[in-house]
Amino acid sequence: MQHRRLRSSLTLGTSLCALLLATPVLAQDLREAAGLTIFHINDIYIIDNFPELMTLIEEGSAGDATAIVTVGGDFLSPSLLSGLDQGQNMITMFNSIGVDYAVFGNHEFDFGPDIAAERIAESEFPWLGTNVLGADGEPFGGSVAYEMFEAGPYTVGLFGVLTPETAELSSPGENVEITDIYAASEEAVAYLQEQGADVIIALTHLTIADDRALAASIDGIDVILGGHDHDPMSIFENGVLIHKSGSDGEFLGTIHLAISESEGRDGPVVDVAPTSWEVATTSGVTGEASVQEIVDDFNQLLDEQLGVVIGTTETDLVSLRGSVRTEETTFGNLIADAMRAGVDADIAITNGGGIRGDTTYPAGSEITRRDVLTELPFGNVTVLMELSGADVRTALENGVSQVEDVAGRFPQVSGLAFTWDPAAAPGSRVVEVTVGGEPLDDSATYRLATNDYMAGGGDGYAAFTNGDLIIDASGATLMATMVSNYIEDEGTVAPTVEGRITRAE
């Protein structure tokens, strides 16, 4: 979108607002009403919907020179493509659809701060990092604290804040400080108002609870455009419109603001009102051709790269359906080991039903990324939680409760071993459990790696909903990426069936 930006280097006291306040205001001096259209997306992990997004943006901005496109964070990771180019593809896509402003999400630090800084430099739009500071105390890596632009006769100011939980959810490093969102927001609003901002927009990557608290506690914010939550939503809190557009570009949020000035007791008063807001699906939309070409090129590259060898196995890797759902397997051990190592957990449990290759890779086979994606096609991510030993035991009972039906809940594990009795009644089959060679302590707390589906109680793992999430789905890495990276780092893998899961005689 084309509009004139006023950079945050504006000097205090030289803004339009300051000049107006210094001059007596008469009724005829009131500025004419204006409008502002905002297109918003957030939490984008795939590129397939960008052509459709471009079509909707072009149709919605026809004749509107002040329309802007904003992004609510989380786009550099996780995806198979980003695993290859560390998020460069997403910057290309954002540049292609004319993104104007973006805020950091936690996933922007998944590849570390140096890569994040490289992606910022490649962007044709500013990143708002009001509370994301580098070692020098300035906004990190070339990001900016504030931005300003003109919408008709009015000045619009923006700032952006990121959840401090990023320090645990991702890898920002010790030289990146994510400061308190409320203090940073209060300072940002005060600064923008001093610079003459008539409208203030906050780009955030926070939970909806934090967004609502921000709206309730900081005066002066007119609109909050968020991310982090993956559901489309629009709500009002303390007169502030809070909007999020789902995830993966499946929806485009459109907000229309009416800006006007009226005579107040002490001078002109600017009124900002959302006149309409909607969420439009990209499903069924004809994609814009030039953007589709870029997507096709990236998908071709991905297809080529999926065939690249990432390692070799010295043992048979078994992912046969009848095996991963009834017994310990070598491929199950490999996946669980990669998950446990990837999040530094004590133990890992994943469901055999999520392993879909139904094949055997003979010893000596070369393993490709396509092989891993074939085995793990569902797009699940690896989450980390703290869970009691008692709940671990209950989860294992669930895992072996339907072996007779070859159910997908059968567990493939790492860091623990257990014995179960198929002759016992479901719910009473687990005979013995050890963690690191020591008996499972029901009262102890363990760091468990599992997938997001199971963490939500899927496949009967209700016990996992009792855990305290340390890395939830919003901060997690794709299982397929984690396993691919593990194999690539090892170079050669040689998992064996080693007695992690045994049947009682």
Side-chain angles (χ1 to χ4, degrees):
M1 300 300 100
Q2 298 298 316
H3 55 269
R4 184 157 68 89
R5 289 183 180 141
L6 305 178
R7 291 292 176 179
S8 57
S9 57
L10 291 173
T11 305
L12 292 177
T14 63
S15 67
L16 175 63
C17 181
L19 293 174
L20 288 174
L21 290 175
T23 305
V25 179
L26 303 176
Q28 60 266 31
D29 294 326
L30 295 177
R31 290 171 286 180
E32 294 183 357
L36 173 63
T37 299
I38 305 167
F39 301 107
H40 184 68
I41 53 177
N42 57 272
D43 298 83
I44 311 291
Y45 308 117
I46 61 174
I47 64 173
D48 294 355
N49 292 321
F50 276 92
E52 292 79 5
L53 287 171
M54 185 77 262
T55 296
L56 292 175
I57 290 169
E58 288 183 336
E59 292 176 349
S61 61
D64 188 347
T66 61
I68 62 172
V69 180
T70 60
V71 182
D74 267 13
F75 44 86
L76 293 187
S77 168
S79 73
L80 287 172
L81 190 53
S82 289
L84 301 180
D85 68 4
Q86 298 178 311
Q88 194 172 45
N89 66 94
M90 201 59 70
I91 302 304
T92 299
M93 298 313 305
F94 282 177
N95 290 341
S96 74
I97 68 169
V99 164
D100 290 286
Y101 306 100
V103 69
F104 287 89
N106 47 278
H107 280 300
E108 274 58 88
F109 289 104
D110 282 0
F111 303 113
D114 291 342
I115 295 299
E118 288 182 21
R119 299 293 88 88
I120 293 171
E122 295 162 357
S123 302
E124 297 173 2
F125 51 88
W127 292 41
L128 294 167
T130 308
N131 73 327
V132 183
L133 309 181
D136 58 359
E138 296 297 319
F140 165 77
S143 65
V144 297
Y146 324 96
E147 279 286 308
M148 302 179 77
F149 70 91
E150 291 178 344
Y154 300 95
T155 300
V156 180
L158 302 96
F159 70 94
V161 290
L162 168 65
T163 173
E165 292 181 356
T166 299
E168 297 178 355
L169 297 176
S170 191
S171 304
E174 60 183 16
N175 291 324
V176 175
E177 180 185 8
I178 302 169
T179 64
D180 180 76
I181 59 175
Y182 302 102
S185 298
E186 188 169 27
E187 181 178 343
V189 169
Y191 176 82
L192 290 169
Q193 288 176 334
E194 289 171 355
Q195 295 301 310
D198 302 298
V199 182
I200 296 180
I201 298 171
L203 286 183
T204 70
H205 195 79
L206 308 169
T207 65
I208 186 60
D210 283 336
D211 280 320
R212 296 184 71 172
L214 192 67
S217 60
I218 306 297
D219 290 332
I221 299 174
D222 295 295
V223 180
I224 293 177
L225 303 172
H228 207 38
D229 299 292
H230 291 187
D231 297 317
M233 63 183 81
S234 298
I235 64 173
F236 271 94
E237 181 72 43
N238 194 32
V240 178
L241 174 64
I242 303 172
H243 172 80
K244 308 191 186 201
S245 298
S247 64
D248 285 337
E250 294 177 346
F251 304 99
L252 176 68
T254 304
I255 298 101
H256 297 285
L257 296 182
I259 314 169
S260 60
E261 190 171 56
S262 59
E263 187 70 53
R265 170 181 256 175
D266 300 318
V269 176
V270 174
D271 299 308
V272 182
T275 56
S276 66
W277 55 94
E278 63 178 349
V279 176
T281 179
T282 52
S283 178
V285 175
T286 300
E288 199 277 333
S290 64
V291 178
Q292 186 65 59
E293 289 179 4
I294 300 173
V295 170
D296 291 343
D297 288 343
F298 274 125
N299 282 333
Q300 181 178 348
L301 173 65
L302 177 60
D303 190 57
E304 293 169 356
Q305 290 296 314
L306 286 176
V308 172
V309 173
I310 56 175
T312 304
T313 179
E314 293 184 344
T315 57
D316 290 350
L317 288 180
V318 177
S319 67
L320 295 170
R321 183 179 188 276
S323 298
V324 295
R325 293 168 176 247
T326 59
E327 61 188 7
E328 178 187 353
T329 64
T330 47
F331 215 119
N333 285 354
L334 175 64
I335 292 170
D337 286 348
M339 294 171 68
R340 182 164 68 97
V343 294
D344 191 26
D346 301 317
I347 58 177
I349 302 175
T350 193
N351 55 330
I355 304 172
R356 310 294 287 194
D358 194 21
T359 191
T360 297
Y361 306 83
S365 296
E366 294 180 328
I367 306 301
T368 66
R369 289 189 177 91
R370 182 177 285 109
D371 293 327
V372 177
L373 185 60
T374 298
E375 296 294 341
L376 299 169
F378 293 124
N380 291 117
V381 295
T382 302
V383 301
L384 176 67
M385 68 174 66
E386 291 185 339
L387 192 69
S388 71
D391 283 326
V392 171
R393 191 184 303 275
T394 299
L396 293 174
E397 286 283 7
N398 170 70
V400 296
S401 65
Q402 297 182 12
V403 180
E404 297 86 352
D405 299 326
V406 196
R409 67 185 59 193
F410 189 86
Q412 299 291 323
V413 303
S414 177
L416 66 83
F418 71 96
T419 300
W420 67 286
D421 183 357
S428 303
R429 290 180 166 178
V430 175
V431 176
E432 181 183 23
V433 186
T434 59
V435 175
E438 298 294 327
L440 178 74
D441 183 349
D442 285 354
S443 62
T445 299
Y446 297 91
R447 288 167 58 92
L448 165 74
T450 188
N451 64 65
D452 57 321
Y453 168 66
M454 295 167 66
D459 258 349
Y461 282 89
F464 285 169
T465 64
N466 296 329
D468 293 324
L469 284 168
I470 300 172
I471 300 176
D472 64 10
S474 68
T477 298
L478 283 170
M479 287 176 64
T481 299
M482 191 168 283
V483 174
S484 294
N485 291 345
Y486 181 84
I487 295 172
E488 193 166 20
D489 290 343
E490 294 291 323
T492 299
V493 294
T496 61
V497 174
E498 55 192 46
R500 299 183 186 184
I501 305 172
T502 58
R503 293 189 180 213
E505 295 295 334

PDB file of all heavy atoms in Angstrom, residues 4 18 64-65 75 82 84 113 115 126 152 158 194-195 200 205 230 243 250 295 305 308 332 365 379 438 476:
ATOM      1  N   ARG A   4       2.410   7.974   2.805  1.00  0.00           N
ATOM      2  CA  ARG A   4       3.612   8.651   3.280  1.00  0.00           C
ATOM      3  C   ARG A   4       3.849   8.325   4.734  1.00  0.00           C
ATOM      4  O   ARG A   4       2.985   8.536   5.578  1.00  0.00           O
ATOM      5  CB  ARG A   4       3.474  10.162   3.102  1.00  0.00           C
ATOM      6  CG  ARG A   4       4.746  10.921   3.487  1.00  0.00           C
ATOM      7  CD  ARG A   4       4.795  12.260   2.800  1.00  0.00           C
ATOM      8  NE  ARG A   4       3.783  13.164   3.298  1.00  0.00           N
ATOM      9  CZ  ARG A   4       3.985  13.979   4.338  1.00  0.00           C
ATOM     10  NH1 ARG A   4       5.145  13.960   4.960  1.00  0.00           N
ATOM     11  NH2 ARG A   4       3.033  14.783   4.737  1.00  0.00           N
ATOM     12  N   ALA A  18       1.441  19.721  17.962  1.00  0.00           N
ATOM     13  CA  ALA A  18       1.992  20.796  18.790  1.00  0.00           C
ATOM     14  C   ALA A  18       1.703  22.155  18.174  1.00  0.00           C
ATOM     15  O   ALA A  18       1.400  23.131  18.862  1.00  0.00           O
ATOM     16  CB  ALA A  18       3.495  20.587  18.963  1.00  0.00           C
ATOM     17  N   ASP A  64      -8.232   3.352  -2.432  1.00  0.00           N
ATOM     18  CA  ASP A  64      -7.936   3.787  -1.068  1.00  0.00           C
ATOM     19  C   ASP A  64      -6.425   3.912  -0.910  1.00  0.00           C
ATOM     20  O   ASP A  64      -5.721   2.930  -0.713  1.00  0.00           O
ATOM     21  CB  ASP A  64      -8.489   2.777  -0.061  1.00  0.00           C
ATOM     22  CG  ASP A  64      -8.388   3.273   1.377  1.00  0.00           C
ATOM     23  OD1 ASP A  64      -7.678   4.270   1.608  1.00  0.00           O
ATOM     24  OD2 ASP A  64      -9.007   2.661   2.262  1.00  0.00           O
ATOM     25  N   ALA A  65      -5.927   5.134  -1.013  1.00  0.00           N
ATOM     26  CA  ALA A  65      -4.485   5.364  -0.981  1.00  0.00           C
ATOM     27  C   ALA A  65      -3.888   5.202   0.406  1.00  0.00           C
ATOM     28  O   ALA A  65      -2.673   5.112   0.560  1.00  0.00           O
ATOM     29  CB  ALA A  65      -4.175   6.756  -1.511  1.00  0.00           C
ATOM     30  N   PHE A  75       5.991 -15.876  11.738  1.00  0.00           N
ATOM     31  CA  PHE A  75       6.012 -16.188  10.316  1.00  0.00           C
ATOM     32  C   PHE A  75       7.328 -16.803   9.853  1.00  0.00           C
ATOM     33  O   PHE A  75       7.346 -17.523   8.861  1.00  0.00           O
ATOM     34  CB  PHE A  75       5.699 -14.940   9.475  1.00  0.00           C
ATOM     35  CG  PHE A  75       6.406 -13.684   9.910  1.00  0.00           C
ATOM     36  CD1 PHE A  75       7.677 -13.383   9.451  1.00  0.00           C
ATOM     37  CD2 PHE A  75       5.778 -12.795  10.768  1.00  0.00           C
ATOM     38  CE1 PHE A  75       8.323 -12.223   9.851  1.00  0.00           C
ATOM     39  CE2 PHE A  75       6.407 -11.618  11.163  1.00  0.00           C
ATOM     40  CZ  PHE A  75       7.686 -11.330  10.706  1.00  0.00           C
ATOM     41  N   SER A  82      10.611 -23.205   5.729  1.00  0.00           N
ATOM     42  CA  SER A  82      11.435 -22.362   6.588  1.00  0.00           C
ATOM     43  C   SER A  82      12.595 -23.148   7.189  1.00  0.00           C
ATOM     44  O   SER A  82      13.646 -22.581   7.509  1.00  0.00           O
ATOM     45  CB  SER A  82      10.591 -21.744   7.706  1.00  0.00           C
ATOM     46  OG  SER A  82       9.722 -20.758   7.187  1.00  0.00           O
ATOM     47  N   LEU A  84      14.353 -25.035   5.539  1.00  0.00           N
ATOM     48  CA  LEU A  84      15.381 -25.036   4.505  1.00  0.00           C
ATOM     49  C   LEU A  84      16.050 -23.677   4.369  1.00  0.00           C
ATOM     50  O   LEU A  84      17.268 -23.602   4.171  1.00  0.00           O
ATOM     51  CB  LEU A  84      14.775 -25.441   3.154  1.00  0.00           C
ATOM     52  CG  LEU A  84      14.101 -26.808   3.076  1.00  0.00           C
ATOM     53  CD1 LEU A  84      13.558 -27.040   1.683  1.00  0.00           C
ATOM     54  CD2 LEU A  84      15.083 -27.910   3.445  1.00  0.00           C
ATOM     55  N   PRO A 113      18.977 -14.991  17.130  1.00  0.00           N
ATOM     56  CA  PRO A 113      18.881 -13.553  16.868  1.00  0.00           C
ATOM     57  C   PRO A 113      19.589 -13.106  15.594  1.00  0.00           C
ATOM     58  O   PRO A 113      19.154 -12.149  14.948  1.00  0.00           O
ATOM     59  CB  PRO A 113      19.512 -12.925  18.112  1.00  0.00           C
ATOM     60  CG  PRO A 113      20.387 -14.004  18.683  1.00  0.00           C
ATOM     61  CD  PRO A 113      19.705 -15.289  18.378  1.00  0.00           C
ATOM     62  N   ILE A 115      19.862 -14.657  12.658  1.00  0.00           N
ATOM     63  CA  ILE A 115      18.994 -14.897  11.502  1.00  0.00           C
ATOM     64  C   ILE A 115      17.818 -13.927  11.513  1.00  0.00           C
ATOM     65  O   ILE A 115      17.412 -13.400  10.464  1.00  0.00           O
ATOM     66  CB  ILE A 115      18.495 -16.351  11.484  1.00  0.00           C
ATOM     67  CG1 ILE A 115      19.672 -17.307  11.291  1.00  0.00           C
ATOM     68  CG2 ILE A 115      17.449 -16.555  10.402  1.00  0.00           C
ATOM     69  CD1 ILE A 115      20.432 -17.107   9.990  1.00  0.00           C
ATOM     70  N   PRO A 126       8.923  -1.985   7.908  1.00  0.00           N
ATOM     71  CA  PRO A 126       9.515  -1.955   9.246  1.00  0.00           C
ATOM     72  C   PRO A 126       8.932  -3.015  10.169  1.00  0.00           C
ATOM     73  O   PRO A 126       7.751  -3.351  10.088  1.00  0.00           O
ATOM     74  CB  PRO A 126       9.172  -0.548   9.745  1.00  0.00           C
ATOM     75  CG  PRO A 126       7.950  -0.169   8.987  1.00  0.00           C
ATOM     76  CD  PRO A 126       8.039  -0.837   7.658  1.00  0.00           C
ATOM     77  N   GLY A 152      -5.019  11.079   5.295  1.00  0.00           N
ATOM     78  CA  GLY A 152      -5.666  12.356   5.079  1.00  0.00           C
ATOM     79  C   GLY A 152      -4.999  13.411   5.938  1.00  0.00           C
ATOM     80  O   GLY A 152      -3.773  13.481   6.012  1.00  0.00           O
ATOM     81  N   LEU A 158       1.973   3.963  15.270  1.00  0.00           N
ATOM     82  CA  LEU A 158       1.959   2.532  15.569  1.00  0.00           C
ATOM     83  C   LEU A 158       3.121   2.169  16.473  1.00  0.00           C
ATOM     84  O   LEU A 158       4.198   2.774  16.409  1.00  0.00           O
ATOM     85  CB  LEU A 158       2.071   1.699  14.290  1.00  0.00           C
ATOM     86  CG  LEU A 158       1.034   1.868  13.192  1.00  0.00           C
ATOM     87  CD1 LEU A 158       1.552   2.855  12.150  1.00  0.00           C
ATOM     88  CD2 LEU A 158       0.705   0.544  12.525  1.00  0.00           C
ATOM     89  N   GLU A 194       2.757  12.805  22.000  1.00  0.00           N
ATOM     90  CA  GLU A 194       3.606  14.005  21.979  1.00  0.00           C
ATOM     91  C   GLU A 194       4.022  14.357  20.556  1.00  0.00           C
ATOM     92  O   GLU A 194       4.181  15.526  20.208  1.00  0.00           O
ATOM     93  CB  GLU A 194       4.849  13.783  22.838  1.00  0.00           C
ATOM     94  CG  GLU A 194       4.568  13.750  24.335  1.00  0.00           C
ATOM     95  CD  GLU A 194       5.784  13.322  25.140  1.00  0.00           C
ATOM     96  OE1 GLU A 194       6.811  12.955  24.499  1.00  0.00           O
ATOM     97  OE2 GLU A 194       5.730  13.356  26.369  1.00  0.00           O
ATOM     98  N   GLN A 195       4.182  13.335  19.721  1.00  0.00           N
ATOM     99  CA  GLN A 195       4.576  13.560  18.331  1.00  0.00           C
ATOM    100  C   GLN A 195       3.400  13.946  17.445  1.00  0.00           C
ATOM    101  O   GLN A 195       3.577  14.198  16.253  1.00  0.00           O
ATOM    102  CB  GLN A 195       5.237  12.308  17.773  1.00  0.00           C
ATOM    103  CG  GLN A 195       6.552  11.940  18.444  1.00  0.00           C
ATOM    104  CD  GLN A 195       7.577  13.059  18.314  1.00  0.00           C
ATOM    105  OE1 GLN A 195       7.821  13.569  17.221  1.00  0.00           O
ATOM    106  NE2 GLN A 195       8.139  13.478  19.424  1.00  0.00           N
ATOM    107  N   ILE A 200      -3.823   5.831  17.383  1.00  0.00           N
ATOM    108  CA  ILE A 200      -2.735   4.956  17.837  1.00  0.00           C
ATOM    109  C   ILE A 200      -3.157   3.500  17.675  1.00  0.00           C
ATOM    110  O   ILE A 200      -4.197   3.072  18.197  1.00  0.00           O
ATOM    111  CB  ILE A 200      -2.330   5.247  19.288  1.00  0.00           C
ATOM    112  CG1 ILE A 200      -1.752   6.666  19.382  1.00  0.00           C
ATOM    113  CG2 ILE A 200      -1.314   4.228  19.786  1.00  0.00           C
ATOM    114  CD1 ILE A 200      -1.308   7.071  20.767  1.00  0.00           C
ATOM    115  N   HIS A 205       1.816  -9.350  19.770  1.00  0.00           N
ATOM    116  CA  HIS A 205       1.865 -10.818  19.701  1.00  0.00           C
ATOM    117  C   HIS A 205       1.757 -11.315  21.135  1.00  0.00           C
ATOM    118  O   HIS A 205       2.753 -11.591  21.811  1.00  0.00           O
ATOM    119  CB  HIS A 205       3.139 -11.312  19.038  1.00  0.00           C
ATOM    120  CG  HIS A 205       3.068 -12.758  18.635  1.00  0.00           C
ATOM    121  ND1 HIS A 205       2.418 -13.177  17.489  1.00  0.00           N
ATOM    122  CD2 HIS A 205       3.510 -13.880  19.243  1.00  0.00           C
ATOM    123  CE1 HIS A 205       2.491 -14.494  17.407  1.00  0.00           C
ATOM    124  NE2 HIS A 205       3.138 -14.942  18.453  1.00  0.00           N
ATOM    125  N   HIS A 230      -4.639 -18.474  17.478  1.00  0.00           N
ATOM    126  CA  HIS A 230      -4.822 -18.894  16.087  1.00  0.00           C
ATOM    127  C   HIS A 230      -6.279 -18.896  15.638  1.00  0.00           C
ATOM    128  O   HIS A 230      -6.582 -19.423  14.562  1.00  0.00           O
ATOM    129  CB  HIS A 230      -4.211 -20.286  15.872  1.00  0.00           C
ATOM    130  CG  HIS A 230      -2.715 -20.301  15.945  1.00  0.00           C
ATOM    131  ND1 HIS A 230      -1.971 -21.420  15.644  1.00  0.00           N
ATOM    132  CD2 HIS A 230      -1.820 -19.340  16.279  1.00  0.00           C
ATOM    133  CE1 HIS A 230      -0.685 -21.144  15.795  1.00  0.00           C
ATOM    134  NE2 HIS A 230      -0.571 -19.887  16.186  1.00  0.00           N
ATOM    135  N   HIS A 243      -8.463  -7.221  17.340  1.00  0.00           N
ATOM    136  CA  HIS A 243      -8.734  -8.126  16.217  1.00  0.00           C
ATOM    137  C   HIS A 243      -7.564  -9.070  15.965  1.00  0.00           C
ATOM    138  O   HIS A 243      -6.404  -8.670  16.026  1.00  0.00           O
ATOM    139  CB  HIS A 243      -9.001  -7.332  14.939  1.00  0.00           C
ATOM    140  CG  HIS A 243      -9.085  -8.212  13.729  1.00  0.00           C
ATOM    141  ND1 HIS A 243     -10.225  -8.931  13.420  1.00  0.00           N
ATOM    142  CD2 HIS A 243      -8.166  -8.542  12.787  1.00  0.00           C
ATOM    143  CE1 HIS A 243      -9.996  -9.650  12.341  1.00  0.00           C
ATOM    144  NE2 HIS A 243      -8.758  -9.428  11.933  1.00  0.00           N
ATOM    145  N   GLU A 250      -5.499 -18.206   6.114  1.00  0.00           N
ATOM    146  CA  GLU A 250      -6.808 -18.752   5.743  1.00  0.00           C
ATOM    147  C   GLU A 250      -7.867 -17.658   5.738  1.00  0.00           C
ATOM    148  O   GLU A 250      -8.905 -17.797   5.090  1.00  0.00           O
ATOM    149  CB  GLU A 250      -7.201 -19.862   6.713  1.00  0.00           C
ATOM    150  CG  GLU A 250      -6.305 -21.088   6.624  1.00  0.00           C
ATOM    151  CD  GLU A 250      -6.672 -22.152   7.637  1.00  0.00           C
ATOM    152  OE1 GLU A 250      -7.442 -21.827   8.578  1.00  0.00           O
ATOM    153  OE2 GLU A 250      -6.195 -23.282   7.499  1.00  0.00           O
ATOM    154  N   VAL A 295       4.895 -18.408  -5.348  1.00  0.00           N
ATOM    155  CA  VAL A 295       4.552 -19.581  -4.539  1.00  0.00           C
ATOM    156  C   VAL A 295       4.938 -20.862  -5.270  1.00  0.00           C
ATOM    157  O   VAL A 295       5.516 -21.788  -4.680  1.00  0.00           O
ATOM    158  CB  VAL A 295       3.048 -19.586  -4.202  1.00  0.00           C
ATOM    159  CG1 VAL A 295       2.641 -20.912  -3.570  1.00  0.00           C
ATOM    160  CG2 VAL A 295       2.702 -18.430  -3.273  1.00  0.00           C
ATOM    161  N   GLN A 305      14.127 -30.102  -2.682  1.00  0.00           N
ATOM    162  CA  GLN A 305      14.895 -30.252  -1.453  1.00  0.00           C
ATOM    163  C   GLN A 305      14.423 -31.422  -0.602  1.00  0.00           C
ATOM    164  O   GLN A 305      15.204 -31.994   0.175  1.00  0.00           O
ATOM    165  CB  GLN A 305      14.840 -28.960  -0.641  1.00  0.00           C
ATOM    166  CG  GLN A 305      15.609 -27.812  -1.268  1.00  0.00           C
ATOM    167  CD  GLN A 305      17.089 -28.100  -1.347  1.00  0.00           C
ATOM    168  OE1 GLN A 305      17.706 -28.568  -0.377  1.00  0.00           O
ATOM    169  NE2 GLN A 305      17.687 -27.860  -2.503  1.00  0.00           N
ATOM    170  N   VAL A 308      16.509 -34.454  -0.881  1.00  0.00           N
ATOM    171  CA  VAL A 308      17.906 -34.399  -0.446  1.00  0.00           C
ATOM    172  C   VAL A 308      18.138 -35.366   0.715  1.00  0.00           C
ATOM    173  O   VAL A 308      17.348 -35.438   1.663  1.00  0.00           O
ATOM    174  CB  VAL A 308      18.276 -32.963  -0.027  1.00  0.00           C
ATOM    175  CG1 VAL A 308      19.653 -32.924   0.614  1.00  0.00           C
ATOM    176  CG2 VAL A 308      18.203 -32.033  -1.222  1.00  0.00           C
ATOM    177  N   GLY A 332       9.905 -45.574  15.802  1.00  0.00           N
ATOM    178  CA  GLY A 332       9.275 -44.929  16.945  1.00  0.00           C
ATOM    179  C   GLY A 332      10.299 -44.424  17.942  1.00  0.00           C
ATOM    180  O   GLY A 332      10.177 -43.309  18.481  1.00  0.00           O
ATOM    181  N   SER A 365      20.131 -47.756   4.346  1.00  0.00           N
ATOM    182  CA  SER A 365      19.313 -46.849   3.544  1.00  0.00           C
ATOM    183  C   SER A 365      19.673 -45.396   3.818  1.00  0.00           C
ATOM    184  O   SER A 365      19.990 -45.008   4.947  1.00  0.00           O
ATOM    185  CB  SER A 365      17.828 -47.052   3.844  1.00  0.00           C
ATOM    186  OG  SER A 365      17.391 -48.331   3.467  1.00  0.00           O
ATOM    187  N   GLY A 379       1.508 -32.526  10.390  1.00  0.00           N
ATOM    188  CA  GLY A 379       1.836 -31.161  10.779  1.00  0.00           C
ATOM    189  C   GLY A 379       1.811 -30.919  12.272  1.00  0.00           C
ATOM    190  O   GLY A 379       1.695 -29.770  12.715  1.00  0.00           O
ATOM    191  N   GLU A 438      15.540 -45.596  36.954  1.00  0.00           N
ATOM    192  CA  GLU A 438      14.998 -45.543  38.301  1.00  0.00           C
ATOM    193  C   GLU A 438      13.477 -45.691  38.260  1.00  0.00           C
ATOM    194  O   GLU A 438      12.843 -45.254  37.298  1.00  0.00           O
ATOM    195  CB  GLU A 438      15.357 -44.217  38.986  1.00  0.00           C
ATOM    196  CG  GLU A 438      16.849 -43.988  39.152  1.00  0.00           C
ATOM    197  CD  GLU A 438      17.480 -44.993  40.105  1.00  0.00           C
ATOM    198  OE1 GLU A 438      16.775 -45.409  41.067  1.00  0.00           O
ATOM    199  OE2 GLU A 438      18.645 -45.368  39.892  1.00  0.00           O
ATOM    200  N   ALA A 476       6.041 -23.956  19.409  1.00  0.00           N
ATOM    201  CA  ALA A 476       6.649 -25.254  19.157  1.00  0.00           C
ATOM    202  C   ALA A 476       7.196 -25.389  17.741  1.00  0.00           C
ATOM    203  O   ALA A 476       6.901 -24.594  16.853  1.00  0.00           O
ATOM    204  CB  ALA A 476       5.638 -26.361  19.427  1.00  0.00           C
TER     205      ALA A 476
END
